[in-house]
């Protein structure tokens, strides 16, 4: 047994150092170099520029509170869509805090009273940074957005129709609407109308 | 449940079955120490590593030396990570200036990554520097995975060799798996992830001004390089707190699908490698069939429960399945599938928050880990864990028919059965013992976020995940406290090495035996009868041991949920 232990020291220490250099330093740095060279947009966070400023990432959700915009899902990341504090609510199915929060969100967000509210619109996402809502959740908000902007409801519905991303091959993923993207399109429609 | 959802599950299973033999063949080449096409490129690296560390890769080791070298190596790696975490404020690549972590967090995290658990008591984006992630964690993601596969190879040799005192060379097994499988696969995988939107940069954050004019800071980092090995090595430790639910770790439905495949692919391949190693590939397929049976039952239950949704929310006027803690781009089917895959394997990555699953939907991940993560399982750990159950199963079959049990040409005698039972018994002993302690001490009771039975589920899940070396969580539990960091750290260490050492002892004992040819009286270990027996043994051992604790947690939670009782 003692000889087994003694014979292990040199390989254990030297292998640790060698693999630390190879896997802990060379591997991530080499990929950073290759990634930055081949896919600079994605490697730096898929950032969106508009009028010379960075307005967000195509992949990360952000808060919208104005009635003029489509609203994203409730977020448990920090105080909401905190990009440095990703988190779900972690509330269990029989949690009073969950039931109270959903009831409150329905009260403030139910712009189409009488219609059942789409599940994703009142539930917190897993990351707190979900960039998408379901098509149902978008249609649910269409009338509010249309009236706040003085647009025809049909225009807003048409915009939603055009903004739906479909599942790959029909079954990988879910139909969804990117909230930041559709809100940017809304702004463009309003800008064109006022011109 | 939808047709698309089932197509996803069937496509997932089908692709893995198609990959089983090719991956198994590649692993078999590494098991045998054969030359692969990659040797031309990486052979000099391998030989250089041996030369510098004074290793003769052809020197055969007995099980004791194999075990000691593996243990000392893992201990040195553990110390490296402990030091990097404690000293990250004095080391480079720390643009946000994070302080060194506390003693208890560094203790817990170093054990967590060494044991392939990747339990995370911290939130990566607000705690760790880029160097800590790369040097402290990524290295374990590779080496704990290659250690697991090396150990599986050692056990395969135990079954395959005849009258041998040795079971291979740990250093050669570990190095070859790292260099000729994990590293090249991860380079390609990481490039796919970067192209799909996973960041790979040394910047740690970027500020933006949102459309409504608010400031938002986004965490970045060398994410893709870590993400690739996190999945392929069934590690599961996320770069960010939200793990594979975070859009920067898992940006699209396609990356999600590939991530799920990559959790299972090596585990599937190893079943084939085992069959090939013992000279009958049908032995491997029989094991895979038993694993798949349990897996598909679990997927069905979780998918069904999550799609059915939460009656408490339906009562409030919410339509649809349970979307609390799930991402829209994945939806319910892919979230349910991911949760079952990640816990069937010892991965522990999550694309949805298990804590917010329906009671029974969340019970399946818990049960998967409690069964010992032998349903495909972690890379290496899954197959050697399953073979322990197989030894137990032939013993039970032997008792029923009154013959000395045999398995793949080896007589299974009292020593092997005792060691297998020892390894299998560690799991419930520590899970239930530690959960009981945490459920009565004030320091333990301070942890859960949720009240009522769900709070107990959070504690039970934490120790189950730690001992099972899974790393997923009912994440409401506040675990970064001296109590939980210490208890969970010890639990992870026991859960890894107190199974490995008896398993290697079995490998040594089997290798020394002579070959016993199959006769008409041998219990067949390839057909449906054997697969059924395996499923039964796994279910009975897991089920009977843990059922009382499940009744106190998820089952009570389910009854509360359907009766509208809130906590």
């Amino acid at each position: 047994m003692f000889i087994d232990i003694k014979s292990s020291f040199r390989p254990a220490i030297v292998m640790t150092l060698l693999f630390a250099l190879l896997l802990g330093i060379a591997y991530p740095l080499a990929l950073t170099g290759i990634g930055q060279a081949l896919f600079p947009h994605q490697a730096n966070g898929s950032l969106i520029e508009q009028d010379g400023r960075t307005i967000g990432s195509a992949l990360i959700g952000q808060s919208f509170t104005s009635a003029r915009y489509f609203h994203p899902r409730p977020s448990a990341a920090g105080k909401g869509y905190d990009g440095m504090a990703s988190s779900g609510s972690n509330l269990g199915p029989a949690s009073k805090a969950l039931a109270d929060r959903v009831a409150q969100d329905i009260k403030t967000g139910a712009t189409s009273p009488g219609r059942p509210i789409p599940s994703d619109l009142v539930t917190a996402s897993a990351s707190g940074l979900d960039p998408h809502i379901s098509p149902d959740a978008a249609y649910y908000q269409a009338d509010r957005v249309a009236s706040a902007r003085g647009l025809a409801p049909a225009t807003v519905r048409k915009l939603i129709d055009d903004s739906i991303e479909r599942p790959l091959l029909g079954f990988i993923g879910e139909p969804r609407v990117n909230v930041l993207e559709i809100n940017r399109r809304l702004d463009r429609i309003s800008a064109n109308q006022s011109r | 449940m939808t047709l698309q959802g089932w197509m996803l599950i069937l496509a997932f299973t089908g692709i893995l079955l198609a990959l089983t033999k090719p991956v198994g063949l590649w692993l078999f080449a590494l098991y045998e120490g054969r030359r692969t096409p990659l040797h031309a490129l990486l052979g000099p690296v391998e030989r250089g590593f041996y030369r510098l560390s004074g290793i003769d890769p052809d020197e055969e080791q007995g099980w004791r030396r194999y075990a000691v070298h593996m243990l000392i190596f893992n201990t040195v790696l553990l110390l490296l990570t402990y030091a990097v975490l404690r000293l990250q404020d004095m080391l480079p690549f720390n643009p946000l200036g994070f302080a060194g972590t506390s003693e208890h967090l560094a203790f817990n995290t170093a054990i967590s990554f060494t044991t392939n658990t990747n339990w995370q008591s911290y939130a990566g984006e607000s705690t760790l520097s880029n160097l800590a992630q790369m040097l402290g964690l990524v290295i374990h993601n590779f080496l704990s995975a290659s250690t697991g596969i090396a150990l599986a190879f050692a056990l395969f040799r135990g079954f395959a060799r005849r009258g041998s005192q040795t079971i291979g060379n740990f250093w050669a097994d570990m190095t070859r798996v790292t260099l000729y499988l994990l590293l090249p696969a991860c380079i390609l995988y990481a490039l796919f992830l970067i192209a799909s939107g996973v960041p790979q940069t040394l910047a740690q954050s970027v500020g933006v001004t949102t459309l409504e004019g608010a400031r938002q800071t986004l965490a970045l980092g060398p994410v893709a390089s870590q993400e690739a090995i996190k999945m392929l090595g069934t590690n599961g430790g996320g770069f960010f707190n939200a793990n594979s639910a975070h859009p920067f770790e898992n940006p699209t439905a396609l990356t999600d699908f590939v991530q799920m495949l990559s959790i299972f692919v090596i585990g599937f391949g190893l079943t084939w490698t085992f069959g090939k190693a013992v000279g009958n590939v049908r032995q491997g397929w029989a094991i895979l069939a038993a694993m798949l049976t349990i897996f598909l039952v679990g997927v069905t239950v979780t998918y069904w429960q999550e799609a059915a949704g939460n009656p408490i929310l339906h009562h409030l006027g919410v339509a649809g399945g349970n979307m609390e803690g799930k991402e829209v781009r994945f939806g319910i089917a892919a979230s349910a599938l991911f949760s079952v895959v990640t816990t069937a394997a010892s991965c522990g990555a999550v694309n949805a928050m298990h804590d917010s699953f329906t009671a029974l939907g969340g019970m399946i991940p818990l049960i998967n880990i409690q069964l010992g993560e032998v349903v495909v399982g972690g890379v290496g750990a899954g197959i050697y864990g399953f073979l322990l159950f197989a030894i137990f199963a032939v013993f039970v079959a032997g008792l029923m028919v009154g013959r000395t049990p045999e398995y793949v040409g080896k007589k299974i005698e009292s020593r092997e059965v005792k060691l297998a039972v020892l390894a299998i018994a560690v799991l419930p002993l520590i899970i239930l013992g530690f959960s009981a302690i945490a459920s009565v001490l004030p320091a333990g009771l301070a942890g859960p976020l949720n009240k009522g039975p769900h709070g107990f589920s959070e504690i039970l899940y934490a120790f189950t995940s730690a001992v099972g070396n899974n790393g997923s969580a009912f994440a409401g539990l506040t675990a970064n406290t001296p109590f939980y960091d210490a208890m969970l750290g010890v639990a992870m260490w026991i859960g890894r090495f107190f199974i490995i050492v008896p398993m290697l002892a079995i490998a040594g004992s089997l290798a020394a035996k002579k070959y016993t040819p199959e006769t008409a009286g041998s219990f067949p270990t390839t057909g449906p009868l054997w697969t059924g027996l395996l499923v039964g043994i796994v279910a009975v051992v897991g089920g009977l041991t843990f059922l009382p604790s499940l009744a106190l947690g998820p089952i009570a939670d389910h009854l509360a949920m359907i009766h509208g009782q809130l906590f």
Side-chain angles (χ1 to χ4, degrees), chain A residues 112-131:
Chain A
S112 309
R115 277 170 57 193
I117 195 158
S119 175
D120 61 302
L121 201 53
V122 288
T123 48
S125 63
S127 63
L129 301 170
D130 194 343

Side-chain angles (χ1 to χ4, degrees), chain B residues 438-450:
Chain B
S439 302
V440 292
L441 291 183
L445 290 168
L449 166 77
N450 286 279

Side-chain angles (χ1 to χ4, degrees), chain A residues 92-94 98, chain B residues 305-306 308-315 318 320-322 358 561:
Chain A
L98 174 67
Chain B
Q305 283 294 309
E306 294 308 300
N310 183 341
I312 294 172
L313 299 192
H314 292 163
H315 187 70
V318 176
N322 177 23
T358 59
M561 184 185 86

Side-chain angles (χ1 to χ4, degrees), chain A residues 75-82 84-87 128:
Chain A
S75 162
K79 289 178 179 158
Y81 290 91
D82 181 342
M84 295 300 288
S86 64
S87 178

Side-chain angles (χ1 to χ4, degrees), chain B residues 45 78 83 94-95 146 165 173 220 231 284 323 364 371 389 393 398 408 414-415 477 524 528 549-550 557:
Chain B
V45 180
L78 174 103
N94 184 10
S146 50
Q165 295 305 308
D173 284 342
L220 295 171
M231 309 310 294
M323 282 300 288
I364 295 297
L371 295 180
F389 276 103
V408 295
S414 137
R415 176 175 159 82
L477 188 81
S549 65
L550 295 174
D557 204 18

Side-chain angles (χ1 to χ4, degrees), chain B residues 429-514:
Chain B
L429 190 69
I430 306 298
I431 292 175
L432 295 176
F434 280 26
S435 296
I437 293 170
S439 302
V440 292
L441 291 183
L445 290 168
L449 166 77
N450 286 279
K451 299 184 176 71
H454 200 76
F456 174 71
S457 296
E458 288 180 343
I459 294 176
L460 180 66
Y461 198 103
F463 286 105
T464 302
S465 174
V467 181
N469 293 153
N470 186 273
S472 67
F474 273 16
L477 188 81
T478 301
N480 188 12
T481 62
F483 174 80
Y484 276 109
D485 276 340
M487 293 279 282
L488 292 165
V490 172
M492 289 186 279
W493 190 262
I494 294 176
R496 175 87 166 172
F497 295 108
F498 282 51
I499 290 174
I500 285 175
V501 174
M503 184 280 292
L504 282 175
I506 292 175
S509 155
L510 288 174
K513 289 176 195 256
K514 61 182 197 305

